PDB file of all heavy atoms in Angstrom:
ATOM      1  N   VAL J   9       1.328  -5.021   1.210  1.00  0.00           N
ATOM      2  CA  VAL J   9       1.475  -4.540   2.576  1.00  0.00           C
ATOM      3  C   VAL J   9       0.259  -3.682   2.877  1.00  0.00           C
ATOM      4  O   VAL J   9      -0.062  -2.757   2.130  1.00  0.00           O
ATOM      5  CB  VAL J   9       2.763  -3.698   2.764  1.00  0.00           C
ATOM      6  CG1 VAL J   9       2.837  -3.151   4.180  1.00  0.00           C
ATOM      7  CG2 VAL J   9       3.994  -4.521   2.443  1.00  0.00           C
ATOM      8  N   LEU J  10      -0.418  -4.008   3.961  1.00  0.00           N
ATOM      9  CA  LEU J  10      -1.512  -3.182   4.456  1.00  0.00           C
ATOM     10  C   LEU J  10      -0.996  -2.458   5.686  1.00  0.00           C
ATOM     11  O   LEU J  10      -0.651  -3.088   6.683  1.00  0.00           O
ATOM     12  CB  LEU J  10      -2.732  -4.026   4.803  1.00  0.00           C
ATOM     13  CG  LEU J  10      -3.910  -3.251   5.392  1.00  0.00           C
ATOM     14  CD1 LEU J  10      -4.445  -2.225   4.399  1.00  0.00           C
ATOM     15  CD2 LEU J  10      -5.013  -4.206   5.819  1.00  0.00           C
ATOM     16  N   ASP J  11      -0.882  -1.138   5.597  1.00  0.00           N
ATOM     17  CA  ASP J  11      -0.476  -0.313   6.732  1.00  0.00           C
ATOM     18  C   ASP J  11      -1.768   0.135   7.413  1.00  0.00           C
ATOM     19  O   ASP J  11      -2.519   0.938   6.864  1.00  0.00           O
ATOM     20  CB  ASP J  11       0.339   0.884   6.263  1.00  0.00           C
ATOM     21  CG  ASP J  11       0.984   1.630   7.416  1.00  0.00           C
ATOM     22  OD1 ASP J  11       1.175   1.034   8.489  1.00  0.00           O
ATOM     23  OD2 ASP J  11       1.308   2.819   7.238  1.00  0.00           O
ATOM     24  N   GLU J  12      -2.036  -0.417   8.577  1.00  0.00           N
ATOM     25  CA  GLU J  12      -3.326  -0.243   9.235  1.00  0.00           C
ATOM     26  C   GLU J  12      -3.132   0.256  10.674  1.00  0.00           C
ATOM     27  O   GLU J  12      -3.266  -0.507  11.631  1.00  0.00           O
ATOM     28  CB  GLU J  12      -4.060  -1.588   9.211  1.00  0.00           C
ATOM     29  CG  GLU J  12      -5.512  -1.518   9.497  1.00  0.00           C
ATOM     30  CD  GLU J  12      -6.187  -2.851   9.237  1.00  0.00           C
ATOM     31  OE1 GLU J  12      -5.690  -3.899   9.690  1.00  0.00           O
ATOM     32  OE2 GLU J  12      -7.227  -2.834   8.569  1.00  0.00           O
ATOM     33  N   PRO J  13      -2.817   1.559  10.828  1.00  0.00           N
ATOM     34  CA  PRO J  13      -2.619   2.096  12.179  1.00  0.00           C
ATOM     35  C   PRO J  13      -3.952   2.172  12.935  1.00  0.00           C
ATOM     36  O   PRO J  13      -5.022   2.237  12.316  1.00  0.00           O
ATOM     37  CB  PRO J  13      -2.061   3.495  11.921  1.00  0.00           C
ATOM     38  CG  PRO J  13      -2.537   3.858  10.562  1.00  0.00           C
ATOM     39  CD  PRO J  13      -2.657   2.565   9.796  1.00  0.00           C
ATOM     40  N   GLU J  14      -3.892   2.156  14.262  1.00  0.00           N
ATOM     41  CA  GLU J  14      -5.110   2.264  15.053  1.00  0.00           C
ATOM     42  C   GLU J  14      -5.765   3.624  14.867  1.00  0.00           C
ATOM     43  O   GLU J  14      -6.985   3.744  14.900  1.00  0.00           O
ATOM     44  CB  GLU J  14      -4.805   2.001  16.525  1.00  0.00           C
ATOM     45  CG  GLU J  14      -4.508   0.540  16.782  1.00  0.00           C
ATOM     46  CD  GLU J  14      -4.468   0.195  18.252  1.00  0.00           C
ATOM     47  OE1 GLU J  14      -5.197   0.844  19.045  1.00  0.00           O
ATOM     48  OE2 GLU J  14      -3.721  -0.724  18.601  1.00  0.00           O
ATOM     49  N   GLU J  15      -4.969   4.658  14.699  1.00  0.00           N
ATOM     50  CA  GLU J  15      -5.481   6.009  14.428  1.00  0.00           C
ATOM     51  C   GLU J  15      -5.092   6.395  13.015  1.00  0.00           C
ATOM     52  O   GLU J  15      -3.967   6.179  12.586  1.00  0.00           O
ATOM     53  CB  GLU J  15      -4.880   7.014  15.429  1.00  0.00           C
ATOM     54  CG  GLU J  15      -5.242   6.742  16.880  1.00  0.00           C
ATOM     55  CD  GLU J  15      -6.723   6.923  17.159  1.00  0.00           C
ATOM     56  OE1 GLU J  15      -7.337   7.840  16.590  1.00  0.00           O
ATOM     57  OE2 GLU J  15      -7.267   6.114  17.936  1.00  0.00           O
ATOM     58  N   GLY J  16      -6.014   6.982  12.275  1.00  0.00           N
ATOM     59  CA  GLY J  16      -5.704   7.429  10.927  1.00  0.00           C
ATOM     60  C   GLY J  16      -6.153   6.438   9.872  1.00  0.00           C
ATOM     61  O   GLY J  16      -6.699   5.377  10.168  1.00  0.00           O
ATOM     62  N   GLU J  17      -5.908   6.806   8.631  1.00  0.00           N
ATOM     63  CA  GLU J  17      -6.341   6.019   7.482  1.00  0.00           C
ATOM     64  C   GLU J  17      -5.391   4.852   7.193  1.00  0.00           C
ATOM     65  O   GLU J  17      -4.178   4.991   7.293  1.00  0.00           O
ATOM     66  CB  GLU J  17      -6.402   6.910   6.233  1.00  0.00           C
ATOM     67  CG  GLU J  17      -7.479   7.963   6.299  1.00  0.00           C
ATOM     68  CD  GLU J  17      -8.875   7.368   6.183  1.00  0.00           C
ATOM     69  OE1 GLU J  17      -9.103   6.532   5.289  1.00  0.00           O
ATOM     70  OE2 GLU J  17      -9.730   7.746   7.004  1.00  0.00           O
ATOM     71  N   ALA J  18      -5.971   3.737   6.797  1.00  0.00           N
ATOM     72  CA  ALA J  18      -5.186   2.596   6.347  1.00  0.00           C
ATOM     73  C   ALA J  18      -4.735   2.842   4.908  1.00  0.00           C
ATOM     74  O   ALA J  18      -5.371   3.586   4.159  1.00  0.00           O
ATOM     75  CB  ALA J  18      -6.011   1.324   6.429  1.00  0.00           C
ATOM     76  N   ARG J  19      -3.609   2.219   4.536  1.00  0.00           N
ATOM     77  CA  ARG J  19      -3.078   2.315   3.179  1.00  0.00           C
ATOM     78  C   ARG J  19      -2.676   0.931   2.709  1.00  0.00           C
ATOM     79  O   ARG J  19      -2.199   0.126   3.492  1.00  0.00           O
ATOM     80  CB  ARG J  19      -1.864   3.245   3.130  1.00  0.00           C
ATOM     81  CG  ARG J  19      -2.191   4.660   3.564  1.00  0.00           C
ATOM     82  CD  ARG J  19      -0.964   5.552   3.636  1.00  0.00           C
ATOM     83  NE  ARG J  19       0.031   4.956   4.527  1.00  0.00           N
ATOM     84  CZ  ARG J  19       1.353   5.105   4.382  1.00  0.00           C
ATOM     85  NH1 ARG J  19       1.845   5.820   3.395  1.00  0.00           N
ATOM     86  NH2 ARG J  19       2.188   4.554   5.229  1.00  0.00           N
ATOM     87  N   LEU J  20      -2.867   0.685   1.430  1.00  0.00           N
ATOM     88  CA  LEU J  20      -2.529  -0.608   0.843  1.00  0.00           C
ATOM     89  C   LEU J  20      -1.510  -0.409  -0.270  1.00  0.00           C
ATOM     90  O   LEU J  20      -1.662   0.489  -1.103  1.00  0.00           O
ATOM     91  CB  LEU J  20      -3.792  -1.272   0.281  1.00  0.00           C
ATOM     92  CG  LEU J  20      -3.599  -2.630  -0.388  1.00  0.00           C
ATOM     93  CD1 LEU J  20      -3.145  -3.690   0.613  1.00  0.00           C
ATOM     94  CD2 LEU J  20      -4.892  -3.062  -1.063  1.00  0.00           C
ATOM     95  N   PHE J  21      -0.487  -1.253  -0.283  1.00  0.00           N
ATOM     96  CA  PHE J  21       0.557  -1.219  -1.303  1.00  0.00           C
ATOM     97  C   PHE J  21       0.642  -2.609  -1.938  1.00  0.00           C
ATOM     98  O   PHE J  21       0.676  -3.609  -1.221  1.00  0.00           O
ATOM     99  CB  PHE J  21       1.916  -0.875  -0.691  1.00  0.00           C
ATOM    100  CG  PHE J  21       1.914   0.441   0.044  1.00  0.00           C
ATOM    101  CD1 PHE J  21       1.589   0.494   1.392  1.00  0.00           C
ATOM    102  CD2 PHE J  21       2.228   1.622  -0.613  1.00  0.00           C
ATOM    103  CE1 PHE J  21       1.580   1.698   2.081  1.00  0.00           C
ATOM    104  CE2 PHE J  21       2.225   2.829   0.068  1.00  0.00           C
ATOM    105  CZ  PHE J  21       1.897   2.874   1.413  1.00  0.00           C
ATOM    106  N   ILE J  22       0.694  -2.665  -3.259  1.00  0.00           N
ATOM    107  CA  ILE J  22       0.791  -3.936  -3.984  1.00  0.00           C
ATOM    108  C   ILE J  22       2.054  -3.915  -4.834  1.00  0.00           C
ATOM    109  O   ILE J  22       2.328  -2.931  -5.528  1.00  0.00           O
ATOM    110  CB  ILE J  22      -0.437  -4.162  -4.881  1.00  0.00           C
ATOM    111  CG1 ILE J  22      -1.697  -4.257  -4.030  1.00  0.00           C
ATOM    112  CG2 ILE J  22      -0.270  -5.427  -5.725  1.00  0.00           C
ATOM    113  CD1 ILE J  22      -2.983  -4.332  -4.833  1.00  0.00           C
ATOM    114  N   ASP J  23       2.795  -5.008  -4.803  1.00  0.00           N
ATOM    115  CA  ASP J  23       3.988  -5.148  -5.636  1.00  0.00           C
ATOM    116  C   ASP J  23       3.541  -5.564  -7.038  1.00  0.00           C
ATOM    117  O   ASP J  23       3.611  -6.729  -7.413  1.00  0.00           O
ATOM    118  CB  ASP J  23       4.938  -6.171  -5.024  1.00  0.00           C
ATOM    119  CG  ASP J  23       6.267  -6.233  -5.737  1.00  0.00           C
ATOM    120  OD1 ASP J  23       6.551  -5.342  -6.569  1.00  0.00           O
ATOM    121  OD2 ASP J  23       7.022  -7.183  -5.470  1.00  0.00           O
ATOM    122  N   THR J  24       3.073  -4.595  -7.805  1.00  0.00           N
ATOM    123  CA  THR J  24       2.476  -4.827  -9.124  1.00  0.00           C
ATOM    124  C   THR J  24       3.361  -5.658 -10.030  1.00  0.00           C
ATOM    125  O   THR J  24       2.908  -6.608 -10.661  1.00  0.00           O
ATOM    126  CB  THR J  24       2.164  -3.479  -9.808  1.00  0.00           C
ATOM    127  OG1 THR J  24       1.219  -2.773  -8.995  1.00  0.00           O
ATOM    128  CG2 THR J  24       1.596  -3.672 -11.202  1.00  0.00           C
ATOM    129  N   ASN J  25       4.635  -5.316 -10.104  1.00  0.00           N
ATOM    130  CA  ASN J  25       5.535  -6.001 -11.041  1.00  0.00           C
ATOM    131  C   ASN J  25       6.299  -7.161 -10.402  1.00  0.00           C
ATOM    132  O   ASN J  25       7.097  -7.808 -11.070  1.00  0.00           O
ATOM    133  CB  ASN J  25       6.509  -5.009 -11.679  1.00  0.00           C
ATOM    134  CG  ASN J  25       7.347  -4.290 -10.654  1.00  0.00           C
ATOM    135  OD1 ASN J  25       7.359  -4.638  -9.470  1.00  0.00           O
ATOM    136  ND2 ASN J  25       8.048  -3.261 -11.106  1.00  0.00           N
ATOM    137  N   GLY J  26       6.094  -7.417  -9.123  1.00  0.00           N
ATOM    138  CA  GLY J  26       6.708  -8.577  -8.477  1.00  0.00           C
ATOM    139  C   GLY J  26       8.193  -8.478  -8.235  1.00  0.00           C
ATOM    140  O   GLY J  26       8.848  -9.490  -7.991  1.00  0.00           O
ATOM    141  N   ASP J  27       8.761  -7.259  -8.220  1.00  0.00           N
ATOM    142  CA  ASP J  27      10.208  -7.127  -8.027  1.00  0.00           C
ATOM    143  C   ASP J  27      10.615  -6.912  -6.575  1.00  0.00           C
ATOM    144  O   ASP J  27      11.787  -6.775  -6.269  1.00  0.00           O
ATOM    145  CB  ASP J  27      10.770  -6.010  -8.910  1.00  0.00           C
ATOM    146  CG  ASP J  27      10.340  -4.615  -8.477  1.00  0.00           C
ATOM    147  OD1 ASP J  27       9.499  -4.487  -7.557  1.00  0.00           O
ATOM    148  OD2 ASP J  27      10.841  -3.643  -9.067  1.00  0.00           O
ATOM    149  N   GLY J  28       9.644  -6.849  -5.658  1.00  0.00           N
ATOM    150  CA  GLY J  28       9.961  -6.669  -4.245  1.00  0.00           C
ATOM    151  C   GLY J  28      10.092  -5.221  -3.802  1.00  0.00           C
ATOM    152  O   GLY J  28      10.182  -4.948  -2.608  1.00  0.00           O
ATOM    153  N   ASP J  29      10.106  -4.286  -4.729  1.00  0.00           N
ATOM    154  CA  ASP J  29      10.258  -2.861  -4.419  1.00  0.00           C
ATOM    155  C   ASP J  29       8.881  -2.194  -4.493  1.00  0.00           C
ATOM    156  O   ASP J  29       8.343  -1.978  -5.574  1.00  0.00           O
ATOM    157  CB  ASP J  29      11.219  -2.217  -5.410  1.00  0.00           C
ATOM    158  CG  ASP J  29      11.494  -0.751  -5.108  1.00  0.00           C
ATOM    159  OD1 ASP J  29      10.771  -0.140  -4.291  1.00  0.00           O
ATOM    160  OD2 ASP J  29      12.440  -0.206  -5.706  1.00  0.00           O
ATOM    161  N   LEU J  30       8.325  -1.854  -3.331  1.00  0.00           N
ATOM    162  CA  LEU J  30       6.988  -1.250  -3.275  1.00  0.00           C
ATOM    163  C   LEU J  30       7.015   0.266  -3.439  1.00  0.00           C
ATOM    164  O   LEU J  30       5.972   0.908  -3.355  1.00  0.00           O
ATOM    165  CB  LEU J  30       6.305  -1.604  -1.956  1.00  0.00           C
ATOM    166  CG  LEU J  30       5.953  -3.079  -1.791  1.00  0.00           C
ATOM    167  CD1 LEU J  30       5.404  -3.356  -0.406  1.00  0.00           C
ATOM    168  CD2 LEU J  30       4.981  -3.521  -2.843  1.00  0.00           C
ATOM    169  N   THR J  31       8.181   0.848  -3.703  1.00  0.00           N
ATOM    170  CA  THR J  31       8.275   2.301  -3.849  1.00  0.00           C
ATOM    171  C   THR J  31       8.103   2.761  -5.294  1.00  0.00           C
ATOM    172  O   THR J  31       8.052   3.956  -5.537  1.00  0.00           O
ATOM    173  CB  THR J  31       9.625   2.825  -3.313  1.00  0.00           C
ATOM    174  OG1 THR J  31      10.694   2.290  -4.107  1.00  0.00           O
ATOM    175  CG2 THR J  31       9.813   2.440  -1.854  1.00  0.00           C
ATOM    176  N   LYS J  32       8.019   1.836  -6.233  1.00  0.00           N
ATOM    177  CA  LYS J  32       7.907   2.243  -7.639  1.00  0.00           C
ATOM    178  C   LYS J  32       6.756   1.571  -8.372  1.00  0.00           C
ATOM    179  O   LYS J  32       6.766   1.458  -9.579  1.00  0.00           O
ATOM    180  CB  LYS J  32       9.230   2.012  -8.367  1.00  0.00           C
ATOM    181  CG  LYS J  32       9.740   0.599  -8.338  1.00  0.00           C
ATOM    182  CD  LYS J  32      11.099   0.495  -9.009  1.00  0.00           C
ATOM    183  CE  LYS J  32      11.546  -0.949  -9.024  1.00  0.00           C
ATOM    184  NZ  LYS J  32      12.801  -1.127  -9.692  1.00  0.00           N
ATOM    185  N   ASP J  33       5.748   1.167  -7.617  1.00  0.00           N
ATOM    186  CA  ASP J  33       4.555   0.567  -8.203  1.00  0.00           C
ATOM    187  C   ASP J  33       3.435   1.604  -8.271  1.00  0.00           C
ATOM    188  O   ASP J  33       3.449   2.593  -7.534  1.00  0.00           O
ATOM    189  CB  ASP J  33       4.102  -0.632  -7.354  1.00  0.00           C
ATOM    190  CG  ASP J  33       5.105  -1.759  -7.401  1.00  0.00           C
ATOM    191  OD1 ASP J  33       5.282  -2.341  -8.480  1.00  0.00           O
ATOM    192  OD2 ASP J  33       5.716  -2.056  -6.359  1.00  0.00           O
ATOM    193  N   PRO J  34       2.442   1.374  -9.146  1.00  0.00           N
ATOM    194  CA  PRO J  34       1.325   2.318  -9.206  1.00  0.00           C
ATOM    195  C   PRO J  34       0.617   2.415  -7.857  1.00  0.00           C
ATOM    196  O   PRO J  34       0.534   1.428  -7.115  1.00  0.00           O
ATOM    197  CB  PRO J  34       0.392   1.707 -10.256  1.00  0.00           C
ATOM    198  CG  PRO J  34       1.205   0.724 -11.008  1.00  0.00           C
ATOM    199  CD  PRO J  34       2.294   0.275 -10.083  1.00  0.00           C
ATOM    200  N   ALA J  35       0.111   3.599  -7.550  1.00  0.00           N
ATOM    201  CA  ALA J  35      -0.628   3.791  -6.298  1.00  0.00           C
ATOM    202  C   ALA J  35      -1.890   2.930  -6.310  1.00  0.00           C
ATOM    203  O   ALA J  35      -2.516   2.739  -7.351  1.00  0.00           O
ATOM    204  CB  ALA J  35      -0.995   5.256  -6.129  1.00  0.00           C
ATOM    205  N   THR J  36      -2.232   2.422  -5.151  1.00  0.00           N
ATOM    206  CA  THR J  36      -3.452   1.645  -4.979  1.00  0.00           C
ATOM    207  C   THR J  36      -4.537   2.552  -4.428  1.00  0.00           C
ATOM    208  O   THR J  36      -4.288   3.310  -3.496  1.00  0.00           O
ATOM    209  CB  THR J  36      -3.187   0.481  -3.985  1.00  0.00           C
ATOM    210  OG1 THR J  36      -2.134  -0.327  -4.496  1.00  0.00           O
ATOM    211  CG2 THR J  36      -4.410  -0.371  -3.798  1.00  0.00           C
ATOM    212  N   GLU J  37      -5.721   2.485  -4.996  1.00  0.00           N
ATOM    213  CA  GLU J  37      -6.860   3.207  -4.431  1.00  0.00           C
ATOM    214  C   GLU J  37      -7.319   2.441  -3.191  1.00  0.00           C
ATOM    215  O   GLU J  37      -7.541   1.233  -3.261  1.00  0.00           O
ATOM    216  CB  GLU J  37      -8.016   3.253  -5.437  1.00  0.00           C
ATOM    217  CG  GLU J  37      -7.735   4.011  -6.690  1.00  0.00           C
ATOM    218  CD  GLU J  37      -8.885   3.907  -7.688  1.00  0.00           C
ATOM    219  OE1 GLU J  37     -10.047   3.719  -7.258  1.00  0.00           O
ATOM    220  OE2 GLU J  37      -8.605   3.991  -8.885  1.00  0.00           O
ATOM    221  N   TRP J  38      -7.464   3.141  -2.059  1.00  0.00           N
ATOM    222  CA  TRP J  38      -7.840   2.462  -0.815  1.00  0.00           C
ATOM    223  C   TRP J  38      -8.571   3.470   0.058  1.00  0.00           C
ATOM    224  O   TRP J  38      -7.948   4.382   0.591  1.00  0.00           O
ATOM    225  CB  TRP J  38      -6.589   1.926  -0.122  1.00  0.00           C
ATOM    226  CG  TRP J  38      -6.842   0.890   0.918  1.00  0.00           C
ATOM    227  CD1 TRP J  38      -6.517   0.977   2.252  1.00  0.00           C
ATOM    228  CD2 TRP J  38      -7.433  -0.397   0.752  1.00  0.00           C
ATOM    229  NE1 TRP J  38      -6.884  -0.170   2.910  1.00  0.00           N
ATOM    230  CE2 TRP J  38      -7.447  -1.033   2.005  1.00  0.00           C
ATOM    231  CE3 TRP J  38      -7.977  -1.074  -0.335  1.00  0.00           C
ATOM    232  CZ2 TRP J  38      -7.965  -2.309   2.198  1.00  0.00           C
ATOM    233  CZ3 TRP J  38      -8.491  -2.340  -0.144  1.00  0.00           C
ATOM    234  CH2 TRP J  38      -8.475  -2.941   1.110  1.00  0.00           C
ATOM    235  N   THR J  39      -9.876   3.334   0.186  1.00  0.00           N
ATOM    236  CA  THR J  39     -10.704   4.318   0.860  1.00  0.00           C
ATOM    237  C   THR J  39     -11.562   3.646   1.926  1.00  0.00           C
ATOM    238  O   THR J  39     -12.153   2.593   1.679  1.00  0.00           O
ATOM    239  CB  THR J  39     -11.637   5.009  -0.162  1.00  0.00           C
ATOM    240  OG1 THR J  39     -10.843   5.509  -1.223  1.00  0.00           O
ATOM    241  CG2 THR J  39     -12.407   6.137   0.479  1.00  0.00           C
TER     242      THR J  39
END
């Protein structure tokens, strides 16, 4: 999931383990 608001910083989330839960995966570096 790429959260890309018009104002502010974008954030990227990857489902590292493939379980569908993006709240317990390692943080993605996104600058």
Side-chain angles (χ1 to χ4, degrees):
V9 177
L10 177 62
D11 190 23
E12 196 171 48
E14 288 191 31
E15 298 294 323
E17 293 289 313
R19 299 175 304 149
L20 179 65
F21 303 89
I22 297 174
D23 187 12
T24 299
N25 59 10
D27 70 353
D29 183 347
L30 293 175
T31 64
K32 58 184 183 178
D33 294 294
T36 302
E37 296 175 27
W38 197 240
T39 307

